[in-house]
Amino acid sequence: MVSIPTWFIYALLGAIFAAFSTIFAKIGLQEINSITVTTLRSIIMAIIIFIIFILEIRNINNLFNLSNKDYIFVILSAIFGALSWIAFFYALKIGEASNVSIIDRSSFLFVILLSIIILNEDLTIQKAIASILMFIALILLVV
């Protein structure tokens, strides 16, 4: 029997949740400014995540055991995450959900590139070919 890695299951769930999030946001953006939607969404998400954080009491200790380097990279991740959401929701308000989502999900191409440059990860022939094919697919889907 084939064993599916846990990370794959969570990644797939994340993709499914992101799809629903995009559709619901597009519907919600009909009458509301994209920054307002992003702000409300962020507040609601923060509340949900905080509740889960509190329910898993062992996480509280982790909060106080972070190094300065950890805090810096969490802050940088939050800044770029916020900028990503602002750009995404503005694009979603004025564009078609399917096209905006396709371009937004192309972030994996940037992750591959940045992981090679910053994290010194290997670029395998499979990743290179798949990236080229996915880039071509993105162009075909949006144009």
mmCIF file of all heavy atoms in Angstrom, residues 88 97-108 110 138-139 142-143:
data_model
loop_
_atom_site.group_PDB
_atom_site.id
_atom_site.type_symbol
_atom_site.label_atom_id
_atom_site.label_comp_id
_atom_site.label_asym_id
_atom_site.label_seq_id
_atom_site.Cartn_x
_atom_site.Cartn_y
_atom_site.Cartn_z
ATOM 1 N N PHE A 88 -2.996 40.381 -3.913
ATOM 2 C CA PHE A 88 -3.927 39.357 -4.370
ATOM 3 C C PHE A 88 -5.370 39.849 -4.316
ATOM 4 O O PHE A 88 -6.127 39.688 -5.286
ATOM 5 C CB PHE A 88 -3.770 38.085 -3.523
ATOM 6 C CG PHE A 88 -4.790 37.035 -3.826
ATOM 7 C CD1 PHE A 88 -4.686 36.258 -4.971
ATOM 8 C CD2 PHE A 88 -5.865 36.809 -2.979
ATOM 9 C CE1 PHE A 88 -5.628 35.276 -5.273
ATOM 10 C CE2 PHE A 88 -6.808 35.830 -3.265
ATOM 11 C CZ PHE A 88 -6.689 35.067 -4.413
ATOM 12 N N ALA A 97 -11.485 35.594 -11.028
ATOM 13 C CA ALA A 97 -10.937 34.761 -9.952
ATOM 14 C C ALA A 97 -10.018 33.671 -10.491
ATOM 15 O O ALA A 97 -8.950 33.416 -9.916
ATOM 16 C CB ALA A 97 -12.071 34.136 -9.134
ATOM 17 N N SER A 98 -10.394 33.037 -11.591
ATOM 18 C CA SER A 98 -9.567 31.946 -12.119
ATOM 19 C C SER A 98 -8.208 32.447 -12.592
ATOM 20 O O SER A 98 -7.177 31.851 -12.283
ATOM 21 C CB SER A 98 -10.302 31.224 -13.256
ATOM 22 O OG SER A 98 -10.635 32.127 -14.290
ATOM 23 N N ASN A 99 -8.179 33.567 -13.320
ATOM 24 C CA ASN A 99 -6.902 34.107 -13.793
ATOM 25 C C ASN A 99 -6.035 34.618 -12.657
ATOM 26 O O ASN A 99 -4.829 34.362 -12.627
ATOM 27 C CB ASN A 99 -7.134 35.225 -14.813
ATOM 28 C CG ASN A 99 -7.603 34.699 -16.147
ATOM 29 O OD1 ASN A 99 -7.480 33.514 -16.429
ATOM 30 N ND2 ASN A 99 -8.149 35.573 -16.964
ATOM 31 N N VAL A 100 -6.632 35.346 -11.736
ATOM 32 C CA VAL A 100 -5.875 35.877 -10.605
ATOM 33 C C VAL A 100 -5.282 34.734 -9.783
ATOM 34 O O VAL A 100 -4.117 34.765 -9.398
ATOM 35 C CB VAL A 100 -6.772 36.785 -9.723
ATOM 36 C CG1 VAL A 100 -6.062 37.155 -8.423
ATOM 37 C CG2 VAL A 100 -7.162 38.041 -10.490
ATOM 38 N N SER A 101 -6.082 33.725 -9.552
ATOM 39 C CA SER A 101 -5.621 32.586 -8.762
ATOM 40 C C SER A 101 -4.484 31.841 -9.446
ATOM 41 O O SER A 101 -3.525 31.428 -8.804
ATOM 42 C CB SER A 101 -6.795 31.646 -8.487
ATOM 43 O OG SER A 101 -6.391 30.616 -7.632
ATOM 44 N N ILE A 102 -4.586 31.677 -10.756
ATOM 45 C CA ILE A 102 -3.515 31.001 -11.498
ATOM 46 C C ILE A 102 -2.203 31.755 -11.360
ATOM 47 O O ILE A 102 -1.156 31.174 -11.052
ATOM 48 C CB ILE A 102 -3.902 30.844 -12.990
ATOM 49 C CG1 ILE A 102 -5.014 29.806 -13.133
ATOM 50 C CG2 ILE A 102 -2.685 30.472 -13.835
ATOM 51 C CD1 ILE A 102 -5.668 29.801 -14.505
ATOM 52 N N ILE A 103 -2.245 33.056 -11.560
ATOM 53 C CA ILE A 103 -1.024 33.857 -11.442
ATOM 54 C C ILE A 103 -0.518 33.850 -10.003
ATOM 55 O O ILE A 103 0.681 33.696 -9.751
ATOM 56 C CB ILE A 103 -1.267 35.304 -11.931
ATOM 57 C CG1 ILE A 103 -1.617 35.302 -13.415
ATOM 58 C CG2 ILE A 103 -0.057 36.186 -11.644
ATOM 59 C CD1 ILE A 103 -0.556 34.730 -14.325
ATOM 60 N N ASP A 104 -1.427 33.980 -9.036
ATOM 61 C CA ASP A 104 -1.031 33.964 -7.627
ATOM 62 C C ASP A 104 -0.345 32.646 -7.263
ATOM 63 O O ASP A 104 0.660 32.635 -6.563
ATOM 64 C CB ASP A 104 -2.251 34.184 -6.732
ATOM 65 C CG ASP A 104 -1.887 34.180 -5.269
ATOM 66 O OD1 ASP A 104 -1.154 35.084 -4.831
ATOM 67 O OD2 ASP A 104 -2.333 33.247 -4.557
ATOM 68 N N ARG A 105 -0.883 31.554 -7.753
ATOM 69 C CA ARG A 105 -0.314 30.246 -7.425
ATOM 70 C C ARG A 105 1.004 29.992 -8.146
ATOM 71 O O ARG A 105 1.699 29.022 -7.865
ATOM 72 C CB ARG A 105 -1.296 29.116 -7.735
ATOM 73 C CG ARG A 105 -2.617 29.157 -6.977
ATOM 74 C CD ARG A 105 -2.457 29.345 -5.481
ATOM 75 N NE ARG A 105 -3.737 29.291 -4.802
ATOM 76 C CZ ARG A 105 -4.422 30.343 -4.388
ATOM 77 N NH1 ARG A 105 -3.963 31.554 -4.565
ATOM 78 N NH2 ARG A 105 -5.578 30.191 -3.764
ATOM 79 N N SER A 106 1.361 30.870 -9.062
ATOM 80 C CA SER A 106 2.668 30.732 -9.709
ATOM 81 C C SER A 106 3.801 31.055 -8.736
ATOM 82 O O SER A 106 4.969 30.925 -9.100
ATOM 83 C CB SER A 106 2.754 31.627 -10.946
ATOM 84 O OG SER A 106 2.875 32.990 -10.583
ATOM 85 N N SER A 107 3.449 31.423 -7.536
ATOM 86 C CA SER A 107 4.480 31.720 -6.531
ATOM 87 C C SER A 107 5.424 30.549 -6.337
ATOM 88 O O SER A 107 6.586 30.732 -5.979
ATOM 89 C CB SER A 107 3.838 32.114 -5.195
ATOM 90 O OG SER A 107 3.093 31.029 -4.671
ATOM 91 N N PHE A 108 4.953 29.330 -6.615
ATOM 92 C CA PHE A 108 5.835 28.178 -6.457
ATOM 93 C C PHE A 108 7.059 28.294 -7.365
ATOM 94 O O PHE A 108 8.139 27.826 -7.010
ATOM 95 C CB PHE A 108 5.090 26.857 -6.708
ATOM 96 C CG PHE A 108 4.819 26.574 -8.150
ATOM 97 C CD1 PHE A 108 5.734 25.870 -8.907
ATOM 98 C CD2 PHE A 108 3.655 27.028 -8.742
ATOM 99 C CE1 PHE A 108 5.483 25.616 -10.247
ATOM 100 C CE2 PHE A 108 3.406 26.772 -10.069
ATOM 101 C CZ PHE A 108 4.320 26.079 -10.837
ATOM 102 N N PHE A 110 8.602 31.081 -8.066
ATOM 103 C CA PHE A 110 9.493 31.989 -7.358
ATOM 104 C C PHE A 110 10.111 31.301 -6.144
ATOM 105 O O PHE A 110 11.260 31.553 -5.799
ATOM 106 C CB PHE A 110 8.745 33.267 -6.953
ATOM 107 C CG PHE A 110 8.260 34.050 -8.142
ATOM 108 C CD1 PHE A 110 6.928 34.005 -8.518
ATOM 109 C CD2 PHE A 110 9.136 34.804 -8.897
ATOM 110 C CE1 PHE A 110 6.479 34.707 -9.625
ATOM 111 C CE2 PHE A 110 8.705 35.517 -10.000
ATOM 112 C CZ PHE A 110 7.374 35.468 -10.371
ATOM 113 N N LEU A 138 0.865 28.067 -17.264
ATOM 114 C CA LEU A 138 0.330 29.332 -16.731
ATOM 115 C C LEU A 138 0.034 30.312 -17.866
ATOM 116 O O LEU A 138 -1.030 30.937 -17.877
ATOM 117 C CB LEU A 138 1.329 29.972 -15.764
ATOM 118 C CG LEU A 138 1.507 29.288 -14.416
ATOM 119 C CD1 LEU A 138 2.713 29.853 -13.698
ATOM 120 C CD2 LEU A 138 0.268 29.437 -13.581
ATOM 121 N N ILE A 139 0.958 30.419 -18.793
ATOM 122 C CA ILE A 139 0.762 31.332 -19.929
ATOM 123 C C ILE A 139 -0.461 30.879 -20.749
ATOM 124 O O ILE A 139 -1.306 31.703 -21.115
ATOM 125 C CB ILE A 139 2.029 31.382 -20.820
ATOM 126 C CG1 ILE A 139 3.230 31.904 -20.021
ATOM 127 C CG2 ILE A 139 1.783 32.210 -22.077
ATOM 128 C CD1 ILE A 139 3.060 33.271 -19.423
ATOM 129 N N VAL A 142 -3.824 31.657 -18.894
ATOM 130 C CA VAL A 142 -4.193 33.054 -18.647
ATOM 131 C C VAL A 142 -4.347 33.850 -19.929
ATOM 132 O O VAL A 142 -5.193 34.743 -20.020
ATOM 133 C CB VAL A 142 -3.174 33.736 -17.704
ATOM 134 C CG1 VAL A 142 -3.466 35.197 -17.535
ATOM 135 C CG2 VAL A 142 -3.175 33.033 -16.359
ATOM 136 N N VAL A 143 -3.550 33.547 -20.947
ATOM 137 C CA VAL A 143 -3.585 34.325 -22.190
ATOM 138 C C VAL A 143 -4.740 33.907 -23.063
ATOM 139 O O VAL A 143 -5.208 32.844 -23.128
ATOM 140 C CB VAL A 143 -2.262 34.185 -22.938
ATOM 141 C CG1 VAL A 143 -2.304 34.894 -24.283
ATOM 142 C CG2 VAL A 143 -1.122 34.750 -22.109
#
